[in-house]
Amino acid sequence: MAHKEELFPAIGEIAAKTDEIPAAETEEGSKTEGGENFDNEDKVVQEIESLCMKCHEQGVTRLMLTSIPFFREVIVMSFRCEYCGASNNEIQSAGEIRPEGTLYTAKILERKDLNRQIVRSASCEITIPELDLTLPPTNRGQLTTVEGLIRDVVSDLSMDQPLRRIQDEVSYTKIQEIIDKMKPILGDPDDDEEVQEQADYLNLPLTPFTVKLDDPAGNSFIEFYGGMSDPKWNLRTYHRTLEQNVALGLVAADDAQAQSEVIQEEVTPEAITDDEVFVFDGLCSSCGHAIKTNMKKVNIPYFKDILIMSTNCEFCGYRDNEVKSGAAISPQGKRIILKCEDREDLSRDILKSETAGLTIPEIDLVLTHGTLGGRFTTVEGILEQIYEELADKAFAGDSSNKEDKEAYEAFLKGLKEVKNAERPFTIILDDPLANSYMQNLYAPDPDPNMTIELYDRTFEQNEELGLNDIKVEGYEEDAASEKKDEGNDKETSNSV
C-alpha cells in the first residue's frame, strides 16, 4: 500500500515536491545550479520522446501519475511538438475495470456547478437530455469540467458551420440550434462588452440541465460537492451486458455466441420448499463466461418468505448476493425506526431490500433507495459494508478543497464510532414496498427501541416502482373491450 501511495500521489503532494526540486538543469552532466546531480527519476512528471503524427518529428510526452479524491488513480498525459506546435492531452485509468458499470448523474442548477470536474474514460457516453446532446465513446480519455466540456462541444460544432451553411443548410440549422442553446450556459461576453467580473458571472441566469456519464467500464467520474450526500449528484451501478463485455475486450467476439447459448432447464409446476436449492444458468456480468446462480427460499419469523440468490464466477472471481421478496406487493410502505444503544443492537438481523433507503441522522448518512441492492445481514454487517465502501473514496494526501477533506474525515470518524457502538444512534429503514425487516428481540411482544410506521405511497413513488401501470383485476374486461373496438374499426373500414 505504501508503494501504491508513492506511485500515485495526490496533486498537492506533486506540487510540493515540484517546489523542492531545483528549477534549472545545466547542459553538462545534467547538473543543477548547485552542482548536484539531477536525475530524471527525481522529476514528478516523467518525460518521454514521442513521434509527432502531424510533422513526423520528435515531440515530448509528459506523464503524471496522480490520484483523484473520492475516485481512483489515473495517468494524465500531455504531448507537445516544438516543431509544428501540435499538442494533445488525455487521461487514462490506472486501475482495473470495475465489476459493474456506473451511471453518474449531476444536476447543473447554478453557475458554480459548471466547475464540477469530469473524468471521462474512452468507453464513457455523455448525455445532456435538455439539449438533445449525446457524446458517444471516444478513443481517448479526458479530464475537464462541465464548462470545459460544453466549450469543447461548442468549438467542435462551430468549426465547419460556414461550410455546412452552403453545402447542407438543413444540418446547419439543426446544429446551430444546439449551439445557440449552449452559448448562454458559458456566459461569454459579446465582442463589444467588457470582460465580466467573477461576481457578475455567477449572477448570470442559467437554464438548468442534467449531465449523465454512462461508463460500462466504471472508470468515469463527476465531482460532487460537500460529500456523497450531495442532492444534485447521484451514482447508480448496473451489470454489463454481453455486448458491452465484448466491446471492452473482456469477452472474445468469437466466444460471444457460444457463451450466450445457455441451457434452459424445464420449470416444474411444483411449489418451492424451504430445503430445495434451485440452480439457474446465466452469464457473468464481469467476464461474460457461463456461471450458475443458486436460489433458496427462506422464511423469516414474524415477517414473510424471501428468496436469497448467490452467484460465484470461477473464471474471474466475481461474487454477488441478492435478496428478493417472495410475497405479494404490500398495499402500504413501511418505515422502521430503531434506536441502537449498545452492541447487542448491532447483532440484530436486518433485511434491506433493493427498494429500501437507510438513514442515520446523527452522522448525516443518507443512502437513497436502491443503494447496495438487497442485503440480508446484521446491523453491524451492513454498517461495516457501508464504511468499507465509503472509506475507499476518502481523500488521499492533500486536496484542492481542505474543507471537504476535513468534513469527510469527520463523517468517517462518526461512522466508525457508530459501527463500533461507541455512541447511541438511530437507524431509519424506509421501504415503499414494505419488503424490509429488522429483528425484534422481544418478539412477539413489541420492541421498546423499535418503531414501525405504515404509510400510503405517493403517486410519484408508485410511478417510480411501476405500480401505476399494473392492473391485476378486471383486465379481462379491458381485453374484451379492446377486441370489440378492433372489430368495429375493421367493419367500418370494410364498409368504406
Side-chain angles (χ1 to χ4, degrees):
M1 182 63 68
H3 176 70
K4 185 177 181 181
E5 293 177 355
E6 285 184 10
L7 191 60
F8 294 92
I11 293 291
E13 296 178 3
I14 294 177
K17 187 176 180 181
T18 303
D19 294 337
E20 296 175 358
I21 296 178
E25 178 185 3
T26 60
E27 297 182 357
E28 297 181 0
S30 297
K31 294 184 178 180
T32 61
E33 295 177 351
E36 299 177 355
N37 291 331
F38 188 87
D39 193 349
N40 186 55
E41 295 182 355
D42 293 334
K43 296 181 180 180
V44 295
V45 178
Q46 302 298 322
E47 297 182 355
I48 302 174
E49 290 189 1
S50 305
L51 178 66
C52 177
M53 303 307 296
K54 187 174 182 180
C55 67
H56 302 289
E57 296 289 346
Q58 288 295 325
V60 177
T61 298
R62 294 176 174 84
L63 303 177
M64 182 176 70
L65 282 63
T66 184
S67 59
I68 297 178
F70 299 108
F71 187 49
R72 63 183 63 211
E73 297 82 8
V74 297
I75 303 174
V76 181
M77 293 177 287
S78 174
F79 171 80
R80 179 170 178 79
C81 177
E82 298 295 339
Y83 295 92
C84 64
S87 61
N88 183 24
N89 301 283
E90 65 177 283
I91 183 174
Q92 290 186 0
S93 173
E96 60 183 9
I97 295 178
R98 295 183 59 169
E100 294 178 323
T102 55
L103 175 60
Y104 289 90
T105 304
K107 299 285 186 179
I108 310 301
L109 305 181
E110 48 188 339
R111 293 210 167 267
K112 70 176 184 179
D113 292 329
L114 295 175
N115 296 326
R116 293 177 184 263
Q117 291 186 354
I118 291 179
V119 178
R120 181 187 183 189
S121 73
S123 59
C124 176
E125 178 183 272
I126 299 181
T127 306
I128 303 179
E130 292 80 2
L131 302 178
D132 295 328
L133 179 66
T134 300
L135 304 179
T138 61
N139 57 357
R140 64 186 183 91
Q142 186 180 16
L143 175 61
T144 180
T145 62
V146 176
E147 181 180 359
L149 180 69
I150 299 295
R151 287 189 183 277
D152 290 343
V153 174
V154 171
S155 177
D156 293 341
L157 294 180
S158 302
M159 184 177 300
D160 296 330
Q161 277 297 84
L163 187 60
R164 292 193 191 99
R165 188 172 186 177
I166 300 174
Q167 297 180 347
D168 190 355
E169 188 173 355
V170 177
S171 299
Y172 165 81
T173 304
K174 293 181 179 180
I175 294 176
Q176 191 62 37
E177 290 178 358
I178 299 177
I179 296 176
D180 293 339
K181 290 180 182 179
M182 290 189 289
K183 280 188 175 180
I185 296 176
L186 302 177
D188 293 334
D190 297 333
D191 295 338
D192 55 347
E193 295 181 1
E194 297 181 356
V195 179
Q196 297 168 339
E197 297 291 340
Q198 181 67 16
D200 297 336
Y201 170 78
L202 294 176
N203 292 329
L204 290 176
L206 175 66
T207 302
F209 62 95
T210 306
V211 178
K212 296 183 178 180
L213 276 69
D214 188 353
D215 187 2
N219 289 330
S220 297
F221 177 74
I222 187 168
E223 183 184 7
F224 51 77
Y225 289 157
M228 298 185 69
S229 59
D230 184 354
K232 295 182 286 186
W233 181 91
N234 181 57
L235 166 62
R236 182 176 69 85
T237 60
Y238 61 89
H239 294 302
R240 286 188 292 267
T241 63
L242 180 61
E243 292 75 14
Q244 290 173 329
N245 282 324
V246 172
L248 293 174
L250 300 178
V251 178
D254 297 337
D255 299 337
Q257 184 176 0
Q259 294 294 342
S260 62
E261 296 177 356
V262 181
I263 300 175
Q264 301 293 335
E265 296 184 357
E266 295 183 359
V267 180
T268 58
E270 299 178 359
I272 301 176
T273 62
D274 294 343
D275 298 331
E276 190 172 3
V277 177
F278 284 83
V279 180
F280 302 94
D281 293 306
L283 297 175
C284 177
S285 60
S286 179
C287 66
H289 286 90
I291 57 174
K292 296 183 180 297
T293 297
N294 298 324
M295 185 185 76
K296 187 178 186 299
K297 187 180 76 169
V298 177
N299 178 266
I300 300 179
Y302 307 103
F303 185 52
K304 60 177 69 173
D305 292 339
I306 64 171
L307 300 175
I308 298 180
M309 293 178 287
S310 176
T311 303
N312 186 12
C313 180
E314 299 177 354
F315 295 91
C316 66
Y318 172 76
R319 302 182 64 181
D320 184 42
N321 298 283
E322 291 188 33
V323 179
K324 302 286 186 181
S325 173
I329 295 177
S330 174
Q332 291 181 305
K334 180 189 292 185
R335 185 180 296 108
I336 305 175
I337 304 173
L338 174 65
K339 294 182 179 179
C340 298
E341 299 177 348
D342 50 33
R343 295 197 63 87
E344 185 179 1
D345 291 321
L346 297 180
S347 61
R348 294 174 183 258
D349 291 335
I350 180 173
L351 169 62
K352 177 191 172 299
S353 73
E354 65 272 12
T355 59
L358 189 146
T359 305
I360 302 180
E362 288 82 358
I363 59 175
D364 296 329
L365 173 65
V366 179
L367 296 183
T368 58
H369 301 281
T371 306
L372 296 180
R375 291 290 182 269
F376 185 31
T377 178
T378 62
V379 174
E380 183 179 8
I382 197 167
L383 292 178
E384 183 68 29
Q385 185 176 6
I386 295 172
Y387 181 82
E388 291 177 357
E389 291 283 342
L390 298 182
D392 292 339
K393 302 181 182 296
F395 280 106
D398 296 335
S399 169
S400 57
N401 192 331
K402 186 177 180 180
E403 295 180 356
D404 287 348
K405 175 186 175 182
E406 293 177 351
Y408 199 76
E409 289 179 347
F411 167 76
L412 288 179
K413 180 180 178 182
L415 180 58
K416 188 174 182 179
E417 293 176 350
V418 163
K419 75 181 186 69
N420 293 332
E422 298 177 2
R423 54 186 287 192
F425 62 96
T426 305
I427 291 183
I428 302 176
L429 195 61
D430 190 351
D431 190 351
L433 291 182
N435 288 332
S436 296
Y437 160 83
M438 199 172 294
Q439 184 183 8
N440 180 358
L441 300 179
Y442 299 86
D445 297 328
D447 192 326
N449 291 339
M450 183 186 301
T451 303
I452 299 178
E453 301 176 356
L454 298 177
Y455 62 89
D456 294 328
R457 289 186 292 267
T458 63
F459 178 84
E460 290 75 14
Q461 288 176 321
N462 285 329
E463 184 70 19
E464 183 179 357
L465 296 170
L467 300 180
N468 291 331
D469 298 329
I470 296 179
K471 187 174 183 180
V472 295
E473 296 180 355
Y475 54 86
E476 302 93 342
E477 299 175 0
D478 294 340
S481 177
E482 291 178 0
K483 188 175 181 179
K484 183 178 180 181
D485 293 339
E486 292 177 359
N488 294 335
D489 294 340
K490 186 176 181 180
E491 292 177 0
T492 303
S493 62
N494 292 334
S495 62
V496 173

